[in-house]
Amino acid sequence: MALGDEDASVDSITLFVALLCACIVIGHLLQKNRWFNESITALVIGLCTGTIILFTSEGKSSHILVFDEQIFFMYLLPPIIFNAGFQVKKKQFFRNFATINLFGAIGTLISFVIITTGSMKLFKILDVGFLDVGDYLAIGAIFSATDSVCTLQVLNQDETPLLYSLVFGEGVVNDATSIVLFNAIQKFDLSNLNSSIFLEFFGNFIYFFLTSTLLGVAVGLFTAYVIKKLYIGRHSTDREIALMILMAYLSYTMAELFSLSSILTVFFCGIVMSHYTWHNVTESSRTTTKHTFATLSFISEVLIFLYVGMDALDIEKWKFVSKSPGTSAGVSSILLGLVLVGRAASIFPLSFISNVIKQSQSDKITFKQQAIIWWAGLMRGSVSIALAYNQFTRAGHTQLRGNAIMITSTITVVLFSTVVFGLLTKPLIRLLLPRKQLHANGHSADSESSLSKSMDLRLPLVANGHSADSERGGESVDSIPRPTSLRMLLATPARTVHYYWRKFDNRFMRPVFGGRGFVPPAPGSPTEPLLR
């Protein structure tokens, strides 16, 4: 972040940290509010602070720090994405992996095409003539990046595991796809568009996805192997925690170094670390790392939304826009409309395809769930802001009218979608997924339905003496109801992909990289408490 002299820097940072504390306290007080959440709270506080700074500086500035997209991508985004992979419920995520990729990758491409094509056609009506082909393609990538934080703060992954998994997984893959698209657009020569360019673009797109994923898995496995073999926590828990944090960040920087998708890399690194590395550290380190990653992610999210709120009133950009307010309002309206149409054109048709492919009725996506998934992807956030700054500014500043219009339009869409759509998220979800009334026995229908769903998920794992809880040392297999008829057995086959993966994992992966239930540990090892 670009700072002034040393004293001004200390003053700015002090005020910014104080605002972060205020966001946390006020967010806690509004936690049970029907409308507000952490993201909206930080945005509102940022707007109020920006207004005060604007008046005290006599209209010269509205923020205390200047946004730098490199700072965002290198320091703020990694902890958010890594924590998402580290905390995800892996079984539910990979159970819906095909649908998640369908929404996150194919759906993003559909939105990208609609937003790019629509902006090319409709901006001509407004006589917006300052954009070239590369800018229009960049706009498609910028506004294809969703931000489902508001929806995820309302959903509960224990009560609605399928819906939470789809919204959460799609958000991560969507961000990665949007950034890969944006980077690819900047690298290609767009002066001569032909079929070979599109084929090369698609090939690079697949290459980025596969290599980025493999790099994250490789770093996660290497970390697990080193911590398991050296057992660093025997002498210092601080060292094994530091090693996990640094190796997670190393996976992100390595992806940036090799020009890969750092989001996918650090996300899958988080998944692998939670599956293997986390179980190789001492019990105290497990608690510490879990809360450390969650805290870093939380602070980064609040910091981003706080700054976006302040930057929305940046007088430098609005000076250029004030000469043509109708054009700016028209661009913002068109972009918001294209976001709505592009999201609908991707979610509902792809949900239909997913339901046709899936055989299990419980895995199919109902229309109400489709509506929530559609709504979750309407909000635009920090990734869109960062990509827009990357395309239309230099070091957070712009002196061109066209670029200023695009930056202010992006901020307008982000603010409107986050505040207006975010405020309506809780009421919408409660309307579509109402909580059922309590039964006479004191147990809610929700708890019974979630219990039956969890039983359904565990039924395929019952065969051959395996259960979802057995690996945690929980309830025995005999306590789980088994299929009582041939039809139920056919509906819940004993041999699933997850079953074969667990067999391979227990036999080959865990003895090498560690984890739960592989071999009896030596006395004093980090896995000893789990077997007591």
Side-chain angles (χ1 to χ4, degrees):
M1 295 182 180
L3 303 175
D5 55 80
E6 186 176 349
D7 292 337
S9 301
V10 173
D11 294 342
S12 300
I13 293 174
T14 302
L15 178 58
F16 206 79
V17 173
L19 290 174
L20 285 174
C21 295
C23 288
I24 293 172
V25 173
I26 296 174
H28 170 72
L29 296 175
L30 297 175
Q31 186 174 7
K32 294 184 179 180
N33 188 280
R34 183 179 178 182
W35 304 92
F36 279 84
N37 53 53
E38 297 286 354
S39 304
I40 299 174
T41 302
L43 272 176
V44 172
I45 292 177
L47 284 169
C48 295
T49 306
T51 303
I52 296 173
I53 295 174
L54 195 63
F55 281 112
T56 55
S57 64
E58 297 180 353
K60 295 180 180 179
S61 177
S62 65
H63 45 64
I64 52 180
L65 299 171
V66 179
F67 187 86
D68 187 342
E69 66 275 4
Q70 292 300 321
I71 298 294
F72 168 80
F73 282 114
M74 291 304 298
Y75 301 110
L76 298 180
L77 192 59
I80 297 174
I81 303 300
F82 178 81
N83 184 65
F86 195 77
Q87 304 287 353
V88 68
K89 290 193 173 182
K90 296 178 288 295
K91 179 182 173 183
Q92 192 67 26
F93 177 81
F94 286 104
R95 180 186 179 94
N96 302 295
F97 192 69
T99 306
I100 287 171
N101 280 285
L102 195 65
F103 288 153
I106 306 301
T108 303
L109 291 174
I110 293 173
S111 295
F112 167 75
V113 171
I114 290 176
I115 294 172
T116 301
T117 306
S119 59
M120 281 183 177
K121 301 292 184 182
L122 296 175
F123 282 6
K124 291 181 179 178
I125 301 175
L126 293 176
D127 194 23
V128 181
F130 50 79
L131 302 175
D132 56 22
V133 175
D135 290 329
Y136 282 115
L137 292 172
I139 289 171
I142 289 169
F143 289 96
S144 296
T146 65
D147 192 328
S148 53
V149 172
C150 292
T151 307
L152 289 175
Q153 289 177 347
V154 178
L155 292 176
N156 188 310
Q157 60 179 331
D158 293 321
E159 295 178 357
T160 56
L162 172 63
L163 189 57
Y164 187 95
S165 175
L166 292 176
V167 172
F168 169 81
E170 187 227 342
V172 176
V173 178
N174 168 274
D175 286 345
T177 306
S178 300
I179 294 174
V180 168
L181 281 171
F182 185 84
N183 292 335
I185 289 165
Q186 291 187 322
K187 293 177 182 178
F188 275 88
D189 180 15
L190 301 172
S191 57
N192 295 317
L193 293 176
N194 51 53
S195 58
S196 61
I197 289 289
F198 286 107
L199 289 175
E200 185 180 357
F201 179 83
F202 182 75
N204 285 346
F205 184 79
I206 299 298
Y207 166 78
F208 283 142
F209 258 77
L210 293 178
T211 51
S212 302
T213 301
L214 291 175
L215 177 60
V217 171
V219 174
L221 291 176
F222 177 76
T223 308
Y225 182 80
V226 169
I227 290 181
K228 177 177 180 291
K229 284 297 181 182
L230 298 182
Y231 186 19
I232 300 173
R234 175 175 44 196
H235 302 294
S236 173
T237 57
D238 295 337
R239 290 174 183 169
E240 62 182 1
I241 295 171
L243 185 62
M244 285 186 69
I245 295 174
L246 291 175
M247 288 300 291
Y249 188 66
L250 180 63
S251 70
Y252 189 90
T253 57
M254 286 177 65
E256 288 289 323
L257 181 66
F258 297 136
S259 300
L260 301 175
S261 173
S262 48
I263 287 184
L264 277 178
T265 298
V266 76
F267 177 72
F268 279 96
C269 181
I271 290 178
V272 172
M273 278 195 178
S274 69
H275 189 66
Y276 297 110
T277 313
W278 190 74
H279 298 285
N280 294 336
V281 300
T282 57
E283 196 166 5
S284 60
S285 294
R286 291 182 201 137
T287 304
T288 304
T289 52
K290 184 176 181 180
H291 290 290
T292 299
F293 292 139
T295 302
L296 291 174
S297 173
F298 173 76
I299 292 175
S300 297
E301 288 180 359
V302 175
L303 190 151
I304 291 168
F305 281 104
L306 178 63
Y307 184 83
V308 169
M310 284 192 289
D311 194 60
L313 299 174
D314 185 14
I315 198 67
E316 178 192 54
K317 304 178 184 66
W318 289 104
K319 279 182 180 178
F320 296 98
V321 178
S322 61
K323 298 178 182 178
S324 52
T327 302
S328 178
V331 169
S332 301
S333 302
I334 289 172
L335 290 173
L336 192 61
L338 290 174
V339 166
L340 291 166
V341 174
R343 185 66 179 170
S346 62
I347 292 301
F348 295 108
L350 292 178
S351 297
F352 175 78
I353 295 173
S354 176
N355 289 341
V356 170
I357 296 173
K358 289 183 177 180
Q359 297 180 352
S360 175
Q361 192 66 30
S362 61
D363 289 336
K364 293 187 176 183
I365 310 169
T366 65
F367 181 77
K368 290 184 178 181
Q369 290 175 332
Q370 294 175 32
I372 293 176
I373 296 171
W374 169 75
W375 185 269
L378 292 178
M379 285 162 274
R380 297 297 179 265
S382 53
V383 173
S384 295
I385 291 285
L387 294 179
Y389 270 84
N390 189 294
Q391 180 71 18
F392 298 109
T393 68
R394 288 186 179 181
H397 298 278
T398 180
Q399 299 296 327
L400 300 176
R401 171 180 167 274
N403 288 352
I405 288 178
M406 291 312 305
I407 290 293
T408 53
S409 297
T410 303
I411 293 174
T412 301
V413 171
V414 169
L415 284 176
F416 183 88
S417 61
T418 302
V419 175
V420 177
F421 295 158
L423 286 173
L424 298 175
T425 297
K426 282 186 180 180
L428 178 68
I429 292 179
R430 290 183 180 180
L431 176 66
L432 296 178
L433 300 176
R435 293 183 177 274
K436 298 176 183 177
Q437 295 181 347
L438 296 177
H439 289 287
N441 57 6
H443 297 286
S444 67
D446 280 345
S447 63
E448 291 184 2
S449 62
S450 61
L451 178 62
S452 64
K453 287 182 181 178
S454 65
M455 290 299 183
D456 290 339
L457 291 177
R458 289 185 290 177
L459 281 173
L461 308 179
V462 172
N464 297 316
H466 293 286
S467 72
D469 289 323
S470 60
E471 67 178 14
R472 291 194 298 267
E475 62 185 56
S476 64
V477 176
D478 294 334
S479 64
I480 300 174
R482 300 172 182 269
T484 56
S485 68
L486 180 61
R487 182 179 61 81
M488 289 181 65
L489 183 61
L490 292 175
T492 55
R495 301 298 177 93
T496 62
V497 174
H498 185 261
Y499 164 79
Y500 287 110
W501 159 247
R502 283 189 57 202
K503 195 172 182 180
F504 172 80
D505 190 30
N506 290 332
R507 185 173 180 180
F508 297 104
M509 300 296 289
R510 283 175 170 167
V512 177
F513 299 105
R516 298 176 291 187
F518 56 101
V519 287
S525 72
T527 53
E528 183 186 13
L530 293 176
L531 300 177
R532 290 177 181 173

